Amino acid sequence: MILARLAQSARRHPWETGLLVLLAATLAALLLLPKPWNPEAADAIAAATERDRPPPVQAAVDFTLWWAFLGAALVLAAAWFSRRVWLAEGPARLLPPPHPIPRTVVAAIVAAVVGGALMRAPLLDHSFWNDEEVTFQDYSWGTWEIDGDGQSTFRPVPWRDTVFYNRDGSNHPLNSILTRVTLHTAALFTPDPPGHFTERSARTIPFAMSLVAIALFGLLLARSGWPLAAVAVVAILALHPWHIRYSVEIRGYSIMFAAVLASLLFLFLALESGHRRHWLGFAACQAVYVAAFGGSLYVALAVNFVAAIWLIFHPARRAALPKLAAWSALSALPVAILLAPSLPQFAFYLARDEPMITFGPGWFTDLFSHLSAGIQPANPAPGASHTLTLDMLGAPRREMLLYAMPVAAAAGIAAALWRAADPRIRLLAAMLPLAFLIGYSHNRLADNPTFPWHLMFVLLAFAFGIASLVQSQRILASGAAWFLLVIPYLLVILPIGLHLGKTPRQPIRETAAILRDTAPTFGIRGDTEVITATFGTSNKRLLTYDPAAIRIRNTDELEKLVQRATEENRPLRVAFCGRLRALASPPQDPVRILVDTIELPSSGFTRIGNVQGMEELFSYHVFEFQSGGD
């Protein structure tokens, strides 16, 4: 009888029941989780810090996760007791009804998605590069280990590390989880033994999310009464090299783009209808994009700030303010639980890491170059890679991309704020650039220089600003924007996007193929005919494609391998990248000494390969030592 009444109550009040279930689950977690006042976790973190080592993952989990669940329980309790204020349906019609979308615009969006897929597809089979390898080796897949008998065994990454390990802040947890699920799902449909993979299967979700982002951006503008801008924005995003590049990387950026746009769509739906399901969609998507890439927290701050200001300054809209606050607070709970163990790990990284860049004129040049064209402004090593830079494009394309397009985007955003009739457009024009301004200002004030791609959500503001220029009531003005700005811009960036599909950014697989004559070399024995080794920049990452490669740190270790190759009458092949970085190091640097030694004509090593990637830093040099040679 009691169960029947509970079931009946749950059917009548599903939202309240769901809230109670979450609260009960959170309280249960508080009872079951290790308590942070247990001295073992704190002692383990302190001991690691004294040794200049990052906190152990389990200690970080034990020290932080209980507090995260306690915070979640308090928020859920507050949400339960205030549910009458924010959980009811309504208010509706705070935004005008959406505009009908012309069929021609729908066709243009579909065409942009298809075109975007064709632009991105060639990159699916590229070799992983360094940052992807971090996700793959450390968080999502695993490594091959070779024992003393030469037998190889695949060691998958523990699920604890997938979710909570965050070395140097390099884990985008939701992306790592989804990558792992994707890889294991793909493995179910192949006859290969454990440890085998394909780059294409690992990149499935980022690829799909990039296409979703294109469609959602067009939908946002079209239903807001800007059909011409919708056509322009989907064309820009489909062809933009910066978006193309990150569309197929197993990092969290592509998921972030799609989830940000989905959250904005759900926010507008919630303000139009007042339905709880739309508020839930807004909160869920907001949690997704912050969990996919923590740096997008700046987007959440901007969206909620602008929305709150918009609601406050009109009496009829203020009733929705508690809903915005409550649903945003709820969206923070899974993110806080997921990221809490990262805090002590990231704090260790910030305390010891020296900034690699500075906020200066060069920073903005790099930003504007990537913002407009997705490439570097200049090539530091001509002829040493397959890179394409603004300087290589020449005038006037360089000036157009570096100066004219950012200025045009800013002008378009200002025009949208000033003259847009639909409030949704004005909200977008305020939210998208504000996210960048908050992120830049925070890092600048904290004296924590960040790479421009960590604020790459500014690409949404850029594309919006350019697209807004074509949305004019005057046919002449709209036509001029199309033919003098948007179409020439698309024609300039199209070859850049096509160039990205020709060469891997870091050709690790191609390098391993030279070392072993095949790659990846799954299950290889350590006593095969060829001895392989690697050192220097990104040296650990070669082990995914050649697990038997030996990582060496100095010439003593190199000499031991030479001696072993001579005694066993086996060839020794060595691969390394980052040559110019090594040669720029002090003369006593071990990696520089290794490069100098191997390149000496008298060393016995012969160059057998120079595998160029998209950057000199990630272009490989392969040498071979033949035992018995002079």
Side-chain angles (χ1 to χ4, degrees), residues 138-317:
D138 299 345
Y139 305 130
S140 299
W141 194 235
T143 56
W144 286 86
E145 296 180 0
I146 298 177
D147 61 22
D149 297 327
Q151 296 290 339
S152 59
T153 305
F154 179 68
R155 305 290 186 190
V157 174
W159 267 105
R160 179 201 63 189
D161 289 4
T162 298
V163 180
F164 295 126
Y165 179 39
N166 203 342
R167 180 179 58 82
D168 298 344
S170 59
N171 191 6
H172 299 170
L174 180 61
N175 169 72
S176 298
I177 294 169
L178 293 176
T179 300
R180 182 165 189 163
V181 170
T182 304
L183 286 164
H184 282 278
T185 302
L188 295 176
F189 300 95
T190 62
D192 298 324
H196 288 240
F197 69 91
T198 64
E199 294 91 348
R200 177 178 289 263
S201 61
R203 291 170 170 148
T204 300
I205 288 183
F207 175 74
M209 288 298 100
S210 71
L211 305 182
V212 170
I214 295 170
L216 285 175
F217 214 169
L219 179 62
L220 269 173
L221 297 190
R223 69 189 304 277
S224 300
W226 273 28
L228 294 177
V231 174
V233 86
V234 295
I236 292 169
L237 206 60
L239 299 182
H240 200 288
W242 213 14
H243 192 254
I244 289 173
R245 172 181 155 187
Y246 285 108
S247 293
V248 291
E249 286 196 7
I250 50 173
R251 304 290 285 160
Y253 306 117
S254 184
I255 300 170
M256 174 201 69
F257 276 118
V260 165
L261 294 167
S263 73
L264 292 170
L265 177 60
F266 274 115
L267 176 61
F268 293 163
L269 286 169
L271 295 174
E272 292 161 10
S273 68
H275 291 323
R276 289 174 292 200
R277 64 179 182 272
H278 293 146
W279 282 110
L280 176 61
F282 163 69
C285 291
Q286 188 167 260
V288 165
Y289 68 72
V290 179
F293 172 54
S296 61
L297 176 63
Y298 300 121
V299 180
L301 294 175
V303 168
N304 283 275
F305 176 78
V306 172
I309 295 297
W310 186 78
L311 293 173
I312 288 172
F313 279 90
H314 196 291
R317 298 195 289 253

Side-chain angles (χ1 to χ4, degrees), residues 282-545:
F282 163 69
C285 291
Q286 188 167 260
V288 165
Y289 68 72
V290 179
F293 172 54
S296 61
L297 176 63
Y298 300 121
V299 180
L301 294 175
V303 168
N304 283 275
F305 176 78
V306 172
I309 295 297
W310 186 78
L311 293 173
I312 288 172
F313 279 90
H314 196 291
R317 298 195 289 253
R318 290 175 189 164
L321 191 59
K323 296 180 179 294
L324 176 69
W327 285 106
S328 288
L330 291 175
S331 76
L333 302 187
V335 177
I337 292 170
L338 189 62
L339 297 183
S342 295
L343 296 179
Q345 301 176 71
F346 196 58
F348 170 81
Y349 162 70
L350 291 177
R352 68 189 294 271
D353 191 64
E354 291 293 329
M356 299 177 65
I357 57 173
T358 58
F359 282 127
W363 190 90
F364 282 99
T365 300
D366 196 26
L367 170 69
F368 292 150
S369 178
H370 283 88
L371 191 58
S372 294
I375 54 178
Q376 295 178 338
N379 184 4
S385 68
H386 292 298
T387 191
L388 182 63
T389 65
L390 285 190
D391 285 351
M392 296 168 68
L393 297 179
R397 289 178 292 179
R398 180 184 185 277
E399 283 66 28
M400 171 193 180
L401 294 170
L402 193 57
Y403 304 114
M405 296 311 297
V407 170
I413 291 170
L417 282 169
W418 180 259
R419 63 176 173 81
D422 194 294
R424 282 169 287 236
I425 295 296
R426 293 199 300 273
L427 287 170
L428 288 173
M431 292 170 174
L432 296 179
L434 182 61
F436 169 77
L437 293 175
I438 294 174
Y440 172 77
S441 300
H442 172 251
N443 284 277
R444 188 65 186 257
L445 292 173
D447 194 25
N448 180 38
T450 185
F451 289 105
W453 60 81
H454 291 159
L455 302 174
M456 69 176 304
F457 41 77
V458 70
L459 179 59
L460 298 177
F462 172 83
F464 172 85
I466 298 299
S468 68
L469 294 173
V470 308
Q471 190 66 44
S472 175
Q473 299 296 328
R474 296 189 295 272
I475 297 178
L476 185 61
S478 179
W482 272 109
F483 288 101
L484 297 180
L485 182 70
V486 176
I487 292 178
Y489 172 64
L490 295 175
L491 292 175
V492 169
I493 64 173
L494 174 61
I496 301 174
L498 292 172
H499 180 76
L500 294 179
K502 296 177 181 178
T503 304
R505 186 174 182 188
Q506 183 176 358
I508 308 178
R509 185 181 65 222
E510 291 78 3
T511 301
I514 295 177
L515 292 172
R516 292 287 181 187
D517 300 321
T518 182
T521 52
F522 298 120
I524 192 168
R525 288 181 57 88
D527 56 357
T528 51
E529 178 184 354
V530 181
I531 302 172
T532 61
T534 182
F535 65 87
T537 299
S538 193
N539 64 82
K540 178 183 176 183
R541 306 308 160 193
L542 183 65
L543 271 61
T544 290
Y545 292 94

